[in-house]
Amino acid sequence: MASAYSDLDRPPLNERSLQRALMVPGGFVSALRVVPSAESTNTAMLGAAEDGAPHASVLVAEEQTAGKGRLGRTWTAPARSGLFVSILLRPESPVDTWTWLPLLAGLAVREAVGKAAELEVGLKWPNDIVVGDLLGDGAKAAELADRKLGGILCETAPSAAAIVVGIGLNVTLREEELPVPQACSLALAGAPSTDRDTLLRTLLRSFGEWYDRWTEAGGDAEAAGLTAAYAKACTTIGREVRVELPGERTVTGHARGVDRTGALLVATADQGEAEIGAGDVVHLRPTTGN
């Protein structure tokens, strides 16, 4: 096995340093582990939930060999090229409000990337972190528009009354390492900083702040400020979209916002307004503003 220091552009994370910084009185993180490799941090954390792991436990893998995506998709990435994180939650808010947790996680990632990597990114409903059209005009911006930087996958452990929030973020992936042409990384998008340690600390602190607001509001996204923040950050809202649904069904129309559950509201020409709880969104033309 190659040394973790064989690629000097991708230094390993320091578990003890992260624990000292994040597992503090009044902080969000209750436990944190960094492992060299895992098939899927979500799978490992779901098992930990069943074994009684505490709320706000965090698992970070330097490498995932079978990372989980939506609809049973899997993906891999070079070791230490990104952040591969799962957070175990035991929410006090009603279960029917948990649908906001993927969107909450997206806001936390966006905030962390803005602060730690000095790069403004967007959120594609429901669970993608994207370059979007936020880099300005020009050929490079057009080339990068809507390319995916990362994703979020939430999975419940009903018997343990818990949910696991999985976050994957491409940090230093090089062009030849991208899994698909539509992918991107913070480095390729021109982020001034790609320090994973700083990114992870900022991400977990931001997640904890948003989670606390949501909890204090009893899971009410609007009262917690989530609805307004998400509408501002989401590159899907305000665009013409095609949503691909299970059973080879599609909905095409204007994405005008999200409802109280986080479902996407799409105004169609012939079916009225559709509430989309899950689906793959295709942006049909550049946004003209939210």
Side-chain angles (χ1 to χ4, degrees), residues 87-133:
I87 306 167
L88 170 62
L89 303 173
R90 300 184 183 278
E92 299 174 1
S93 302
V95 173
D96 63 1
T97 68
W98 294 11
T99 50
W100 262 95
L101 289 172
L103 282 63
L104 182 156
L107 286 171
V109 174
R110 181 176 185 266
E111 194 170 85
V113 171
K115 290 179 179 178
E118 301 177 47
L119 184 71
E120 186 177 0
V121 298
L123 305 176
K124 180 182 176 185
W125 187 92
N127 66 340
D128 287 349
I129 316 301
V130 297
V131 177
D133 61 350

Side-chain angles (χ1 to χ4, degrees), residues 59-208:
L59 177 64
V60 185
E62 294 283 38
E63 178 182 26
Q64 282 195 132
T65 57
K68 290 183 179 181
R70 292 185 64 247
L71 305 177
R73 300 169 183 140
T74 60
W75 55 274
T76 61
R80 304 177 307 284
S81 66
L83 290 179
F84 317 118
V85 187
S86 288
I87 306 167
L88 170 62
L89 303 173
R90 300 184 183 278
E92 299 174 1
S93 302
V95 173
D96 63 1
T97 68
W98 294 11
T99 50
W100 262 95
L101 289 172
L103 282 63
L104 182 156
L107 286 171
V109 174
R110 181 176 185 266
E111 194 170 85
V113 171
K115 290 179 179 178
E118 301 177 47
L119 184 71
E120 186 177 0
V121 298
L123 305 176
K124 180 182 176 185
W125 187 92
N127 66 340
D128 287 349
I129 316 301
V130 297
V131 177
D133 61 350
L134 304 173
L135 297 182
D137 299 324
K140 185 63 174 179
E143 177 190 345
L144 294 175
D146 269 347
R147 286 172 63 170
K148 183 174 176 178
L149 293 161
I152 295 158
L153 179 67
C154 292
E155 297 183 276
T156 58
S159 62
I163 184 169
V164 171
V165 178
I167 299 169
L169 181 66
N170 298 331
V171 180
T172 61
L173 246 64
R174 300 157 186 141
E175 195 74 44
E176 66 273 14
E177 295 172 332
L178 296 175
V180 293
Q182 297 78 25
C184 196
S185 68
L186 299 184
L188 291 173
S193 174
T194 56
D195 185 296
R196 292 187 308 136
D197 182 283
T198 303
L199 270 168
L200 180 58
R201 295 183 192 209
T202 310
L203 168 58
L204 291 173
R205 287 171 178 149
S206 180
F207 185 95

